[in-house]
Amino acid sequence: MLRCLVSRCLLTNPVAGQTRKMSGGSLAGSQSSLAGKVAIVTASTDGIGLAAAQALGQRGAHVVVSSRRQSNVDKAVALLQSEKIQVTGTTCNVGNSEDRARLVNMTVEQCGGVDIFVSNAAVNPFFGNIMDSTEAVWDKILDVNVKSAFLMTQLVVPHLEKRGGGSVVFVSSVAGYQPMQALGPYSVSKTALLGLTRALAPELAQSHIRVNCVAPGIIKTTFSQALWQDEFKKQLSIKRFGKPEEIGGVIAFLCSKDASYITGETITVTGGMSCRL
């Protein structure tokens, strides 16, 4: 009886019998899903930024990596080249207007245009009671974490429009939903990126540019080392801290055709940590 039902299913729905073959083809296609695309990723020589560059490059994109230090750029470029990824590297302090313009202009001149922008650069010069934070701390954090993200977007959008559209991804944080103790100003800056995503998405949709955001939980990077504590792990459904590549893959997805109907959204990648504004 069961054999009869299976046979009838295959006769009426022949696609059902081709699942394995199609899945293999889809997997192969995903490895070249961003072929011909050019992606700028800021702060991309380590941690989440480097993982994003790897994920985009593995899918065929030419990635442009940057960091404030030339030695870090050289190391990242060598690593990506060893993985057969098309890569260009340069120094860039996103808090500096001349550096921002130089990064975009160099990308257009050497790579022919821009299709993807991933804003990953962030700083946190303060750790303590938020009431002890100074104006200088707020200026530094907001300049790099929020203003530069917008100003870089402003620079790349005309080039995305020339390519018929593209994708912008901001890297926020779980702290943008639930401010972390001793990280008050940083948490506020990450909440601002959630709002920036929602504000830009409808404005840029008419130019076929999608704007999304990723909010990582506690990821094992040098930047988040102070948070590798058991008290945070207890809040997770998946009882471990995340890996940079687990964020890089989500970023690459948001830049792909698979996410072509997604804009104005933030994907939380937190291992099950509660996230709600």
Side-chain angles (χ1 to χ4, degrees):
M1 184 70 172
L2 178 61
R3 184 179 298 174
C4 181
L5 287 172
V6 170
S7 298
R8 185 179 301 173
C9 175
L10 292 176
L11 284 171
T12 57
N13 184 17
V15 175
Q18 301 175 17
T19 302
R20 184 174 297 178
K21 181 178 179 180
M22 290 178 67
S23 297
S26 176
L27 179 61
S30 70
Q31 300 306 307
S32 60
S33 61
L34 296 175
K37 304 296 184 183
V38 176
I40 295 176
V41 186
T42 60
S44 44
T45 60
D46 193 18
I48 290 173
L50 178 59
Q54 288 174 307
L56 293 165
Q58 288 162 1
R59 290 159 177 77
H62 184 130
V63 293
V64 179
V65 299
S66 63
S67 174
R68 297 181 65 169
R69 296 182 181 179
Q70 185 64 53
S71 59
N72 291 342
V73 173
D74 294 340
K75 184 178 177 180
V77 167
L79 173 64
L80 293 169
Q81 287 178 335
S82 74
E83 297 175 353
K84 309 302 181 185
I85 289 172
Q86 299 177 77
V87 57
T88 301
T90 186
T91 56
C92 180
N93 173 5
V94 296
N96 182 289
S97 60
E98 293 181 358
D99 276 16
R100 291 193 298 266
R102 182 171 55 81
L103 173 60
V104 176
N105 291 337
M106 183 214 70
T107 301
V108 173
E109 291 170 4
Q110 295 192 20
C111 305
V114 186
D115 302 280
I116 295 165
F117 170 54
V118 179
S119 178
N120 177 62
V123 296
N124 181 45
F126 177 81
F127 193 85
N129 189 310
I130 190 171
M131 293 304 295
D132 295 328
S133 57
T134 64
E135 183 176 3
V137 164
W138 282 95
D139 286 345
K140 180 70 173 178
I141 289 177
L142 295 179
D143 278 353
V144 174
N145 298 10
V146 184
K147 278 178 58 180
S148 73
F150 169 72
L151 294 172
M152 274 293 299
T153 302
Q154 210 172 32
L155 287 174
V156 301
V157 161
H159 300 289
L160 268 60
E161 289 175 331
K162 289 178 182 178
R163 307 274 271 199
S167 182
V168 174
V169 178
F170 297 116
V171 179
S172 178
S173 168
V174 65
Y177 287 91
Q178 181 59 53
M180 292 184 175
Q181 188 175 8
L183 294 175
Y186 173 82
S187 299
V188 171
S189 75
K190 291 302 184 175
T191 303
L193 291 179
L194 308 182
L196 182 60
T197 300
R198 297 301 298 269
L200 284 173
E203 295 282 347
L204 297 180
Q206 60 188 349
S207 297
H208 307 291
I209 298 170
R210 296 181 299 104
V211 184
N212 290 294
C213 186
V214 175
I218 300 174
I219 308 301
K220 295 204 76 171
T221 66
T222 303
F223 189 82
S224 68
Q225 198 164 359
L227 302 176
W228 300 355
Q229 301 171 21
D230 287 341
E231 64 178 281
F232 287 115
K233 194 176 290 186
K234 291 175 182 177
Q235 301 176 39
L236 307 177
S237 299
I238 300 174
K239 300 300 182 183
R240 64 172 175 82
F241 297 131
K243 303 172 185 177
E245 56 266 32
E246 292 174 310
I247 309 302
V250 175
I251 291 171
F253 160 72
L254 286 173
C255 297
S256 73
K257 288 183 178 179
D258 290 336
S260 59
Y261 200 52
I262 301 175
T263 195
E265 297 293 343
T266 297
I267 297 181
T268 57
V269 190
T270 66
M273 183 182 288
S274 179
C275 299
R276 181 177 297 176
L277 284 176

